[in-house]
Amino acid sequence: MNALKLIKYMYFILFFILYGNTFANIPQSFSKRVSDGLIPGAERAKLYLPLLKNKRVGIVTNQTGQVRDRHLVDFLIASKIQLMRIFSPEHGFRGTASAGETVNNQKDPKTGLSIISLYGKNKKPSTAQLKDIDLMVFDLQDVGVRCYTYISTLTYMMEACAKQRISLIVLDRPNPNGHYINGPVLQPKLSSFVGLHPVPIVYGMTIGEYAQMVHGEGWLPLGTPPLDLKVIPLKNYDHKMPYTLPVAPSPNLPNDQAIRLYPSLCLFEGTQVSIGRGTDFPFQVYGAPYFDRDIYYFSFTPHSKVGEKNPTFNGKKCYGYDLRSPKKTKRLHLNWLIKAHQEATRSKTTFFTPFFQKLAGTGSLQQQIEQGLSEDQIRASWQEELDAFKRIRKKYLLYRDF
C-alpha cells in the first residue's frame, strides 16, 4: 500500500470512529426500537400470564399487539390461555381500513376466533358480546394525541367491563409523543369519539397511565361501578425516551415523522386542506389546489389507495409544504394552520368544516385564527388549563417525567 492509499484508509477509519454512531442513530422508519432496553407490557408475560390462567379471556388489539416476533393472540393461545373473542378498534384487526371506514365483524382465519369491531355504530361492546368473558386484555399502540380514537375505545371498554364486573388488564406501551404536553384542553360540551375527556391535544401519558387517570378521576359515566383495573407497566422507560414503533399503528402513520407531525396536522382534518392522505407520505405534507402556486413550489396529488379510499382532493394537484425532514418538537405548530387559513381567505375558499371544533375540543381556536391572533397569543390562552391538567396528570404517572 503506497503512502496516498494509506492516508485515505486512515482517514476512512477516523471518519467512521467519529461519525459512525451518528449515522447508526438516524431513525429508519419502523425498523427497530430506538431504546433497545425497553420492554413493553406485552413482553412481561410473567406478570400477566398467571392472572389469565383458568380465565375466559377477551382481548382488544390490532396489528400493533406484538410479543417480539409474533402476535399477542398467537402467543396467548400457545400459552394455553382460553381466548373467547377478539375486539378491534378503528382500522380493524389488521390495521388496513381507512379512517372512518366501517369494519364489519368477522372471523380470524388463523385462529377461528370471532373479531368484534368497536368502530362505526358498535363503538361500545354489548352485554352479549361480553358474555362468558371473565377478564379483558387491552393491548393497542397509542400515539398520545387526543383525537386518535384508540383511547376512546379504551374508555368505552373500561365502562363496559365495569358494568359487567369484568376485570381489565392494560398491557402498557410507550407513547412516541410522550415527551411534551400542548394544545387546548377539551371542553365537555364538545366531547365526542375524537375526544372524550378534558385533556389537551397532546397529553404526555402512556395508554396505561391514561387508563388510570380516566378511572381515578371518575370520568366514566355517572353510576358506573368501580372497575378492577390493572396496568402491566413498561420496563426501562421514561417520558423523555425517544421511541420508534416496530409496527405502524394505522395506515396513514407509516413512520416516525408522520407520528411526530400528527399532533399538529390532525387539526387540518377539520379544514379544506389535504395532509397527504392518498400519497406515500401522509401526515408529512399539507396543501390544497387553491394555494398560490407561485409561492408554494412543492406539489402532490392524492389518489385512492389501500388505507385511504377517498382522500381529500382525490386526483387534484395540491400545492403546499413538504415537512418530511425530521425535526423534534415539543409543541403544536399552529403557524401552519394560520398560514393555510390565510391562503383560503386570499382565494375566498371556506376553510373550516364543522368537524374542526370537535378535533380542537374548543370553539375558541377557530375564532382566534379567524380574528388574526398570533401563534404566541393563542398558545398563551391555553396556559391556565394546561397547568390544571398537569396537576391531575401527575397523580397517575408510572414513569419518570420529562
Side-chain angles (χ1 to χ4, degrees):
M1 182 180 295
N2 61 36
L4 182 58
K5 287 184 177 179
L6 180 61
I7 291 171
K8 288 181 177 179
Y9 179 78
M10 294 303 295
Y11 179 83
F12 173 80
I13 295 297
L14 179 62
F15 183 87
F16 182 81
I17 292 172
L18 291 175
Y19 300 105
N21 287 338
T22 300
F23 295 121
N25 289 331
I26 294 175
Q28 299 294 322
S29 188
F30 291 106
S31 60
K32 68 175 183 176
R33 195 177 304 153
V34 170
S35 303
D36 292 329
L38 189 152
I39 303 175
E43 294 182 12
R44 306 188 72 186
K46 290 182 179 179
L47 297 183
Y48 64 86
L49 281 184
L51 305 176
L52 308 185
K53 293 293 184 183
N54 302 316
K55 300 287 187 181
R56 297 169 298 181
V57 178
I59 185 168
V60 185
T61 192
N62 61 4
Q63 77 285 351
T64 65
Q66 297 288 323
V67 182
R68 296 188 182 275
D69 59 348
R70 57 177 166 171
H71 198 280
L72 178 61
V73 168
D74 299 326
F75 173 74
L76 293 179
I77 291 174
S79 301
K80 309 300 182 184
I81 300 301
Q82 185 183 4
L83 285 184
M84 305 301 292
R85 57 192 65 90
I86 300 167
F87 297 86
S88 66
E90 183 178 4
H91 308 296
F93 182 52
R94 301 297 175 189
T96 57
S98 303
E101 181 181 349
T102 299
V103 180
N104 296 320
N105 297 341
Q106 52 190 287
K107 279 191 179 292
D108 178 38
K110 184 174 182 179
T111 64
L113 290 169
S114 296
I115 302 173
I116 307 298
S117 173
L118 296 180
Y119 193 66
K121 294 181 179 179
N122 186 53
K123 293 183 176 69
K124 188 185 304 180
S126 66
T127 300
Q129 291 167 346
L130 295 175
K131 69 178 181 179
D132 303 327
I133 291 177
D134 303 314
L135 187 149
M136 186 69 65
V137 174
F138 189 100
D139 185 27
L140 292 175
Q141 176 62 63
D142 187 44
V143 297
V145 182
R146 188 184 65 215
C147 61
Y148 203 66
T149 60
Y150 293 174
I151 54 173
S152 294
T153 296
L154 170 66
T155 294
Y156 285 149
M157 183 55 77
M158 290 173 67
E159 179 189 348
C161 285
K163 289 181 176 178
Q164 299 301 317
R165 308 292 181 178
I166 296 171
S167 300
L168 177 65
I169 296 177
V170 176
L171 305 182
D172 211 3
R173 290 188 179 272
N175 178 355
N177 287 307
H179 59 285
Y180 71 107
I181 299 167
N182 207 222
V185 172
L186 180 133
Q187 299 172 344
K189 66 180 181 180
L190 288 170
S191 177
S192 72
F193 195 58
V194 292
L196 286 174
H197 304 304
V199 303
I201 290 176
V202 186
Y203 48 83
M205 304 176 82
T206 67
I207 203 161
E209 292 172 326
Y210 191 90
Q212 292 192 149
M213 181 173 64
V214 170
H215 188 246
E217 292 301 304
W219 288 346
L220 296 178
L222 190 65
T224 302
L227 172 66
D228 180 18
L229 172 68
K230 183 175 181 60
V231 176
I232 303 300
L234 297 148
K235 188 175 182 180
N236 303 324
Y237 174 75
D238 66 63
H239 283 280
K240 293 181 181 178
M241 186 177 291
Y243 183 73
T244 293
L245 274 63
V247 179
S250 54
N252 285 287
L253 294 181
N255 54 39
D256 286 345
Q257 185 68 348
I259 290 172
R260 188 182 294 116
L261 292 171
Y262 180 71
S264 299
L265 298 189
C266 69
L267 290 169
F268 279 108
E269 302 272 56
T271 71
Q272 297 294 339
V273 173
S274 167
I275 39 73
R277 288 182 181 273
T279 72
D280 292 333
F281 31 82
F283 285 99
Q284 297 157 80
V285 300
Y286 76 89
Y290 60 81
F291 278 24
D292 189 340
R293 66 186 67 186
D294 293 328
I295 297 175
Y296 299 92
Y297 297 108
F298 175 71
S299 65
F300 60 92
T301 303
H303 293 286
S304 178
K305 59 187 300 185
V306 174
E308 192 56 53
K309 291 185 175 181
N310 189 29
T312 300
F313 300 129
N314 189 8
K316 297 181 180 179
K317 192 171 186 177
C318 297
Y319 300 88
Y321 274 112
D322 183 354
L323 305 172
R324 282 175 286 178
S325 297
K327 185 177 181 181
K328 190 172 182 179
T329 183
K330 287 190 176 181
R331 65 179 193 174
L332 300 184
H333 290 280
L334 290 179
N335 57 316
W336 298 332
L337 200 62
I338 291 170
K339 288 179 180 178
H341 177 260
Q342 291 169 348
E343 279 296 310
T345 301
R346 179 195 58 79
S347 65
K348 298 181 180 180
T349 300
T350 299
F351 185 68
F352 294 105
T353 72
F355 191 42
F356 182 83
Q357 291 192 12
K358 285 188 176 181
L359 289 170
T362 175
S364 62
L365 180 56
Q366 178 175 338
Q367 294 172 359
Q368 290 167 329
I369 292 172
E370 290 175 336
Q371 290 167 2
L373 269 64
S374 70
E375 182 173 15
D376 288 340
Q377 288 173 317
I378 295 173
R379 198 179 302 284
S381 71
W382 303 337
Q383 198 56 54
E384 185 176 344
E385 288 186 334
L386 283 177
D387 289 342
F389 169 74
K390 289 175 183 177
R391 290 191 290 271
I392 295 172
R393 169 185 175 271
K394 189 175 181 179
K395 296 186 288 183
Y396 302 102
L397 295 182
L398 296 171
Y399 317 101
R400 188 173 63 179
D401 206 3
F402 45 80

